[in-house]
């Protein structure tokens, strides 16, 4: 007798599984990572390596403690996505123990104490990042300049050495080889009443924002566009985040171009594009309805701009994302779509 | 006008009473299981905080200071706060019995909210004027209401989460409050 295969609902299979989505996200970041490495040396790759290894170990440990099967949770790629995004936010050649601290916090506290993937109210990568940002403020400012700009910068081997010992070998000093990021430089110089044209004449600035960073930004936007095309993310949050940064930035620039960064600088500096396409779009911790997503994204963008302009930190994407994560359930509560047939 | 705006900004975001000064944690933990009761608590606390900030300023300036009784400040303020809470309770009961029922036990509990006493004492410490004290109290209450509403909505969602057993209930709520507090550090330097 021929048997007809039956199974329970849902009958419409979703197009992509979790691991497929995560793989696509990671793939779309490869070009940007290559460009980053080309301009700034192998520090990013080392950070990703450390963060992934520590992240997988922490995940395995917690799964073991919670008596959950290892394979489906470790294999879905969500830890790797957290690790890559977290590592991307760190300065290159970060000492490994700082990367590990942030990653353990991200996986254990921000994710598994809430029940693991799908339950975390805060974006784990950003929770880990803010933890190390407020705990290791000095190390978090050690940004290496573009390799083309620095004749005395650390080579690949020295970067490796720095990642694992925290010291630069070969008689190099951190102060001598690091450089402020464009946003950081802009903030300190504006506080000293330097005007914007003078600031932008510094060698680190290219057409809009930091040289090198602009190109990384282009490829991140490209990867993000591909993710939207492939339905990994929806367009609402990226568009809203970018609008949230650009609208106040443009207004401020129109009022006083001498003491405000141009909209292009805001768009291509810091983590605007990475945050808009990759970080704020985390489907678990963001708002869920289309209207809610627009509000969520706008909030992230505006908070980022406010922190950049008036706050104590050079960039605010991480704080914007965490604050709007905290607001997401309330946003969802007030933007709940009307159930068909119910009154307005 | 600019100072007053700065006081509002400072008390709501930068020096939020719950997440940065760690005052008023009992109602923050106790009344945040459901959004509806959290919103009721928030509005009642806003009213009491603003009025008691003004009253305690008046008592301090026109009663305690001329009589040189500043050493009685703490106990006098507690008395003022209790009186304001009692007054609020009676007024709410008369004006809107429905709201009185919704707020229920939380209304008298505001007396023990340390943020209320904190605001009154901080107003003296920072030698605010009458208007500044009023705005300071209102800002503190707004900040309290904001984070209470956010937190309650988060806890409603977390009630469905698969939290490991040792961390269920107050433990995960405190961890969440800690993470929110980290996020609020982003406002450092604004005011």
């Amino acid at each position: 007798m021929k048997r007809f295969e039956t199974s329970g609902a849902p009958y419409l299979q979703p197009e992509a599984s979790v691991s497929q989505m995560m793989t696509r996200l990671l793939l779309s970041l490869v070009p940007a990572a290559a460009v980053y490495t080309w301009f700034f040396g192998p520090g990013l790759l080392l950070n990703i390596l450390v963060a992934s290894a520590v992240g997988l170990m922490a995940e395995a440990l917690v799964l073991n403690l919670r008596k959950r099967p290892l394979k489906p949770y470790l294999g879905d790629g969500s830890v790797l996505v957290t690790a890559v995004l977290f590592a991307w936010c760190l300065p290159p050649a970060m000492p490994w123990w700082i990367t590990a601290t942030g990653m353990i916090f991200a996986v254990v506290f921000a994710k598994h104490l809430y029940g693991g993937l799908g339950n975390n109210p805060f974006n784990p990568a950003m929770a880990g990042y803010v933890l190390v940002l407020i705990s290791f403020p000095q190390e978090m400012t050690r940004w290496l300049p573009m390799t083309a700009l620095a004749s005395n910068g650390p080579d690949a081997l020295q970067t490796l050495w720095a990642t694992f010992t925290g010291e630069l070998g070969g008689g190099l000093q951190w102060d001598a080889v690091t450089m402020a990021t464009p946003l950081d430089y802009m903030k300190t110089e504006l506080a000293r009443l330097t005007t914007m044209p003078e600031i932008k004449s510094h060698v680190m600035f290219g057409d809009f924002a930091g040289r090198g960073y602009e190109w990384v930004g282009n490829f991140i936007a490209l990867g993000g566009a591909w993710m939207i095309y492939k339905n990994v993310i929806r367009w609402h949050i990226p568009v809203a985040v970018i609008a949230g940064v650009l609208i106040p930035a443009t207004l401020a620039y129109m009022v006083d171009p001498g003491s405000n960064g141009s909209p292009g600088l805001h768009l291509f500096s810091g983590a605007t594009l990475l945050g808009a396409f990759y970080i704020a779009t985390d489907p678990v911790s963001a708002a869920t309805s289309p209207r809610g997503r627009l509000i969520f994204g706008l909030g992230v963008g505006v908070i980022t701009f406010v922190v950049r302009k008036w706050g104590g930190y050079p960039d605010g994407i991480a704080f914007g994302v965490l604050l709007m994560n905290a607001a997401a359930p309330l946003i969802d509560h007030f933007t709940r779509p009307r159930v068909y047939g119910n009154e307005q | 006008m600019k100072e007053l705006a700065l006081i509002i900004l400072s008390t709501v975001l930068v020096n939020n009473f719950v997440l940065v000064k760690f005052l008023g944690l009992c109602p923050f933990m106790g009344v945040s299981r459901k959004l509806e009761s959290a919103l009721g608590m928030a509005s009642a606390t806003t009213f009491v905080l603003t009025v008691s900030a003004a009253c305690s300023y008046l008592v301090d300036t026109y009663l305690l200071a001329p009589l040189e009784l500043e050493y009685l400040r703490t106990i006098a303020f507690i008395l003022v706060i209790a009186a304001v809470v009692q007054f609020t309770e009676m007024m709410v009961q008369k004006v809107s019995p429905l709201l009185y029922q919704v707020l229920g036990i939380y209304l008298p509990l505001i007396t023990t909210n340390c943020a209320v006493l904190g605001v009154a004492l901080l107003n003296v410490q920072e030698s605010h004027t009458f208007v500044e004290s009023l705005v300071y109290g209102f800002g503190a209450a707004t900040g309290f209401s904001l984070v209470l509403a956010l937190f309650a909505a988060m806890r409603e969602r977390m009630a469905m989460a698969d939290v490991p057993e040792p961390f269920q209930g107050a433990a995960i709520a405190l961890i969440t409050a800690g993470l929110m507090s980290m996020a609020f550090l982003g406002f450092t330097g604004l005011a």
Side-chain angles (χ1 to χ4, degrees):
Chain A
M1 197 176 100
K2 208 168 183 186
R3 277 195 66 186
F4 202 62
E5 288 281 331
T6 53
S7 61
Y11 297 110
L12 283 175
Q13 290 286 321
E15 270 178 55
S17 63
V18 172
S19 62
Q20 210 175 342
M21 303 260 280
M22 300 291 176
T23 317
R24 280 184 179 165
L25 189 150
L26 289 174
L27 274 181
S28 72
L29 268 175
V30 169
V35 173
Y36 199 118
T37 312
W38 169 262
F39 280 115
F40 296 94
L44 170 71
L45 301 181
L46 289 171
N47 282 351
I48 290 179
L49 212 66
V50 174
S52 308
V54 174
L56 286 173
M57 278 191 276
E59 176 96 359
L61 182 76
V62 183
L63 286 173
N64 198 16
L65 284 175
R66 294 182 65 203
K67 300 188 177 62
R68 297 289 154 96
L70 287 185
K71 203 157 167 264
Y73 290 101
L74 275 182
D76 68 6
S78 61
V79 195
L80 291 181
V81 168
T82 305
V84 168
L85 292 178
F86 171 66
W88 203 291
C89 303
L90 301 174
M94 200 68 185
W96 70 270
W97 59 89
I98 296 178
T99 317
T101 309
M103 205 52 213
I104 290 172
F105 185 78
V107 170
V108 178
F109 283 82
K111 187 172 160 197
H112 269 290
L113 290 193
Y114 290 97
L117 184 68
N119 292 319
N120 46 312
F122 293 99
N123 186 319
M126 286 305 99
Y129 172 75
V130 168
L131 179 89
V132 294
L133 182 67
I134 58 184
S135 314
F136 304 97
Q138 196 198 350
E139 284 82 355
M140 291 297 282
T141 56
R142 283 183 190 160
W143 292 88
L144 297 172
M146 247 171 82
T147 37
L149 288 181
S151 51
N152 61 344
D155 55 26
L157 207 63
Q158 282 167 323
T159 313
L160 185 71
W161 180 256
T163 306
F164 286 97
T165 63
E167 302 287 332
L168 286 164
L172 286 180
Q173 294 296 316
W174 279 110
D175 292 351
V177 299
T178 57
M179 198 186 219
T181 61
L183 279 178
D184 212 353
Y185 181 72
M186 181 174 91
K187 180 154 237 155
T188 41
E189 286 299 312
L190 282 178
R192 295 171 54 195
L193 300 178
T194 317
T195 62
M196 238 6 248
E198 284 176 278
I199 293 173
K200 281 198 72 177
S201 64
H202 190 283
V203 66
M204 76 167 94
F205 284 95
D207 296 327
F208 295 109
R211 269 156 77 170
Y213 291 110
E214 292 172 336
W215 281 103
V216 178
N218 282 330
F219 278 88
I220 285 174
L222 216 59
W226 183 75
M227 283 207 301
I228 293 177
Y229 171 68
K230 281 283 179 192
N231 259 334
V232 178
I233 55 172
R234 309 270 298 275
W235 60 271
H236 306 83
I237 293 179
V239 168
V241 172
I242 291 172
V245 175
L246 284 194
I247 292 170
T250 312
L251 289 178
Y253 188 66
M254 272 158 49
V255 172
D256 185 3
S259 59
N260 286 294
S262 68
L265 191 144
H266 276 287
L267 183 62
F268 285 104
S269 288
T272 314
L273 289 165
L274 186 75
F277 286 105
Y278 288 90
I279 295 171
T281 48
D282 173 14
V284 181
S285 54
T288 43
S289 67
R291 240 177 348 135
R293 283 178 174 160
L294 288 176
I295 299 171
F296 177 88
L298 273 177
V300 173
V302 170
I303 293 171
T304 304
F305 175 78
V306 167
V307 171
R308 279 183 188 173
K309 176 130 179 66
W310 293 288
Y313 291 93
D315 199 0
I317 282 278
F319 294 111
V321 169
L322 283 188
L323 285 165
M324 291 315 284
N325 283 165
L330 199 66
I331 295 175
D332 277 347
H333 180 87
F334 287 114
T335 59
R336 207 176 290 161
R338 188 169 63 93
V339 177
Y340 184 70
N342 274 18
E343 54 193 289
Q344 206 87 37
Chain B
M1 229 16 242
K2 202 179 165 212
E3 286 86 58
L4 297 184
L6 275 182
I7 287 180
I8 292 265
L9 186 70
S10 161
T11 45
V12 175
L13 299 178
V14 186
N15 293 314
N16 188 286
F17 267 73
V18 180
L19 294 179
V20 180
K21 286 193 196 292
F22 305 125
L23 287 170
L25 280 176
C26 334
F28 185 65
M29 286 293 151
V31 205
S32 56
R33 278 211 187 79
K34 290 190 82 179
L35 185 61
E36 209 166 288
S37 51
L39 291 178
M41 183 67 175
S43 51
T45 310
T46 305
F47 182 78
V48 171
L49 243 172
T50 315
V51 174
S52 69
C55 291
S56 49
Y57 173 85
L58 295 177
V59 167
D60 189 62
T61 320
Y62 296 108
L63 201 68
L64 298 184
L67 298 174
E68 293 180 357
L69 286 173
E70 281 97 341
Y71 57 89
L72 286 178
R73 198 173 271 150
T74 310
I75 205 157
F77 284 178
I78 291 175
L79 198 68
V80 169
I81 291 164
V84 172
V85 171
Q86 275 303 309
F87 166 73
T88 315
E89 197 180 350
M90 289 189 313
M91 195 188 70
V92 171
Q93 195 176 11
K94 265 274 184 275
V95 174
S96 162
L98 187 70
L99 184 64
Y100 181 76
Q101 263 188 348
V102 172
L103 291 178
I105 182 72
Y106 304 124
L107 209 46
L109 272 183
I110 300 174
T111 324
T112 58
N113 183 344
C114 49
V116 184
L117 184 62
V119 164
L121 290 172
L122 282 170
N123 268 332
V124 177
Q125 197 181 330
E126 311 207 349
S127 45
H128 284 148
T129 63
F130 178 70
V131 180
E132 280 171 352
S133 303
L134 200 68
V135 172
Y136 193 76
F138 180 71
T142 313
F144 176 81
S145 308
L146 174 74
V147 295
L148 187 63
L150 294 179
F151 192 58
M154 291 192 83
R155 283 189 80 175
E156 277 191 359
R157 182 172 288 186
M158 273 183 327
M160 259 94 77
D162 175 27
V163 177
E165 209 171 324
F167 290 96
Q168 280 170 7
I172 196 70
L174 279 165
I175 289 171
T176 310
L179 278 163
M180 281 175 83
S181 178
M182 271 168 53
F184 266 70
L185 276 179
F187 292 121
T188 321
L190 281 190

